Amino acid sequence: RWFDRQIVMHIGGVESVHALYVNGEFVGYGTDSRLASEYDITAFVHAGSNDVAIVVMRWSAHSYVEDQDQWWMAGLHRSVFVEARGAVHLESLVCTAGLRGAGTSDVIGTLAASATLDGLMPPGAGWRVRFGVETLRGRRLGRTQLVDVPYQFAVPYVFSGHTATATFELPGIDAWSAESPTRYRVTAELLGPDGSIAEVHSQFIGFRNVEVRDRQLLVNGEPVWIFGVNRHDH
């Protein structure tokens, strides 16, 4: 079932650096121990059994760059998995939520959602993304927005990427705060040129406003105190 799809290996975190081999062939090299590395292994795998080797180098030049007051525990310390993505798929869904009129009767939630496509081939004409916002119980807020994905990537100085963007203004929204962490769900449906749904992605968001005013940190217009401890990422 994975033929004609993009096969990606996700390596969540390796200390210090690592090299990936698939069926004896070198695929790539990752140098950030605290961020995920992803590799397109479509051309390296075949039907049936495949051999995967992740070689971890305990010490590297990056050990000195990252040399803080920490424990040194080399190895694979986050999830490793392989997944099949569509030949054209949603590579990322970025949501930026805000809040206007906090503390008043005219509260409006603002949202800018951007979905970027990627895959084995650039998307041609006809690909679209349908954006929507709903409560966690599935009640739709406002109208969905159907946005065409730009595809004329050969146009110089004009094309900015295979990214579809939608903006929403939602009145009467419940604000997010530490005391009342109300969340909503953003959905992005990828529609193919024939109108069928290729895949669906969702993301949880909260509407809030954070600002510094009069030398105070304000969340939704109210001053807050932050209590915390220094935490190193193990």
Side-chain angles (χ1 to χ4, degrees):
R1 296 193 300 271
W2 283 16
F3 282 118
D4 300 323
R5 296 176 70 83
Q6 185 181 34
I7 313 302
V8 176
M9 167 156 277
H10 174 102
I11 302 176
V14 185
E15 187 178 305
S16 167
V17 301
H18 69 279
L20 172 64
Y21 295 83
V22 176
N23 293 322
E25 295 188 67
F26 174 74
V27 176
Y29 180 72
T31 60
D32 196 321
S33 61
R34 301 301 168 186
L35 294 177
S37 299
E38 290 192 337
Y39 301 91
D40 183 351
I41 61 173
T42 309
F44 297 88
V45 295
H46 51 71
S49 299
N50 291 267
D51 180 74
V52 175
I54 304 174
V55 182
V56 177
M57 276 68 78
R58 181 180 182 91
W59 306 112
S60 69
H62 304 275
S63 303
Y64 295 91
V65 176
E66 297 181 349
D67 191 9
Q68 304 171 52
D69 182 14
Q70 66 189 64
W71 295 339
W72 291 97
M73 297 184 293
L76 300 167
H77 59 84
R78 289 199 177 96
S79 298
V80 176
F81 59 83
V82 178
E83 68 178 11
R85 300 172 181 174
V88 175
H89 60 266
L90 282 175
E91 175 70 14
S92 67
L93 174 60
V94 178
C95 299
T96 303
L99 191 71
R100 292 206 308 264
T104 71
S105 58
D106 297 323
V107 177
I108 296 178
T110 63
L111 171 67
S114 298
T116 300
L117 273 61
D118 199 1
L120 297 176
M121 64 195 77
W127 288 90
R128 296 178 294 174
V129 179
R130 182 162 56 208
F131 296 93
V133 185
E134 62 186 24
T135 67
L136 298 191
R137 293 189 175 185
R139 180 173 63 86
R140 183 70 65 184
L141 302 179
R143 296 182 177 180
T144 59
Q145 296 188 30
L146 191 59
V147 183
D148 293 329
V149 178
Y151 66 94
Q152 294 177 312
F153 56 90
V155 180
Y157 309 114
V158 175
F159 180 72
S160 58
H162 304 288
T163 300
T165 301
T167 58
F168 294 83
E169 290 196 355
L170 304 170
I173 213 76
D174 290 331
W176 185 99
S177 68
E179 295 77 20
S180 180
T182 303
R183 299 190 300 170
Y184 296 86
R185 183 185 295 111
V186 177
T187 59
E189 299 173 289
L190 177 61
L191 278 61
D194 61 354
S196 63
I197 298 178
E199 59 186 37
V200 180
H201 288 246
S202 65
Q203 188 173 130
F204 293 117
I205 63 168
F207 294 95
R208 69 177 180 183
N209 173 264
V210 180
E211 61 179 332
V212 175
R213 179 160 32 97
D214 299 329
R215 302 187 67 179
Q216 280 191 309
L217 175 63
L218 307 179
V219 176
N220 300 334
E222 298 292 333
V224 298
W225 284 13
I226 295 177
F227 298 90
V229 295
N230 185 20
R231 171 189 171 272
H232 197 88
D233 177 16
H234 286 299

